[in-house]
Amino acid sequence: MTHANRGTQRTPAHTRSQVLAHALNLFTGRGYFNTSVHDIAHASKVSVGSIYHHFKGKEGVARTLYEELLVQMTEEITDIMLNHTTAHSRCRAITELLFSMAVETPETMEFMLYAKHREFLPDELPICSSKPFLMMNELVAQGMEAGEILPMDPTVATACLFGGSIRLITGYLDGVLEQPLPEYLEETWSCGWRAVAVV
């Protein structure tokens, strides 16, 4: 093996991250069913064998992506809950997180919001029943207990609080907003909070 070849060798971690990054791009651009293992291998410049070695196939790639995105969101929401003490500040920080994720990593948000995960990951819970969204629901319930949020079904309150934000994010991802997404943050948050807050 030449020195040049040794220098271009990839570590397993690098190969794995490359495959996931390119698979995310392909899944959001083409759709899961229109993407093959060969497409992922070609885009990430790895062998098909490497993908099967690391992920056991295309479903394994999609499952790893899904699980890692949920872990990332769970960690972000956990940090918010540790660093903020009121339902108001926690929900506001989560709204800011969702907006920033949409701007900084739009493919991540597209995969989370648009992919029909149950079609290719039938054993997984729906995204709205995943841990990050359950945490958001619990946070809202805690706000009711603390007297910050009106007593109602926590699921309804969570939908009121964050539904507008998610709709604006999908509008941004679809390219139909007239202004940059951050321009809508204050108004969207204000409307959501007023809908559930104890006055």
Side-chain angles (χ1 to χ4, degrees), residues 11-28:
T11 65
H14 183 261
T15 296
R16 187 176 182 280
S17 64
Q18 281 290 101
V19 169
L20 291 174
H22 288 285
L24 178 61
N25 179 275
L26 290 167
F27 290 159
T28 55

Side-chain angles (χ1 to χ4, degrees), residues 91-119:
C91 293
R92 167 62 188 251
I94 290 174
T95 301
E96 291 176 352
L97 169 66
L98 295 173
F99 271 56
S100 66
M101 285 180 66
V103 172
E104 295 167 14
T105 56
E107 289 178 339
T108 297
M109 292 302 287
E110 285 189 40
F111 186 72
M112 289 183 63
L113 297 177
Y114 290 159
K116 296 181 179 179
H117 305 100
R118 300 298 295 283
E119 291 184 359

Side-chain angles (χ1 to χ4, degrees), residues 60-80:
V61 175
R63 185 178 302 281
T64 302
L65 267 176
Y66 182 78
E67 290 173 350
E68 290 195 356
L69 293 176
L70 292 183
V71 167
Q72 177 190 345
M73 274 202 73
T74 298
E75 290 174 349
E76 296 276 8
I77 294 173
T78 299
D79 285 344
I80 286 170

Side-chain angles (χ1 to χ4, degrees), residues 5-74:
N5 285 339
R6 286 197 304 270
T8 56
Q9 265 193 317
R10 295 180 177 184
T11 65
H14 183 261
T15 296
R16 187 176 182 280
S17 64
Q18 281 290 101
V19 169
L20 291 174
H22 288 285
L24 178 61
N25 179 275
L26 290 167
F27 290 159
T28 55
R30 297 183 182 182
Y32 175 83
F33 293 107
N34 292 324
T35 300
S36 68
V37 171
H38 286 82
D39 294 330
I40 298 169
H42 177 74
S44 53
K45 296 180 171 58
V46 303
S47 68
V48 169
S50 255
I51 293 175
Y52 279 97
H53 172 72
H54 287 284
F55 303 101
K56 311 300 182 190
K58 185 174 72 167
E59 182 180 318
V61 175
R63 185 178 302 281
T64 302
L65 267 176
Y66 182 78
E67 290 173 350
E68 290 195 356
L69 293 176
L70 292 183
V71 167
Q72 177 190 345
M73 274 202 73
T74 298

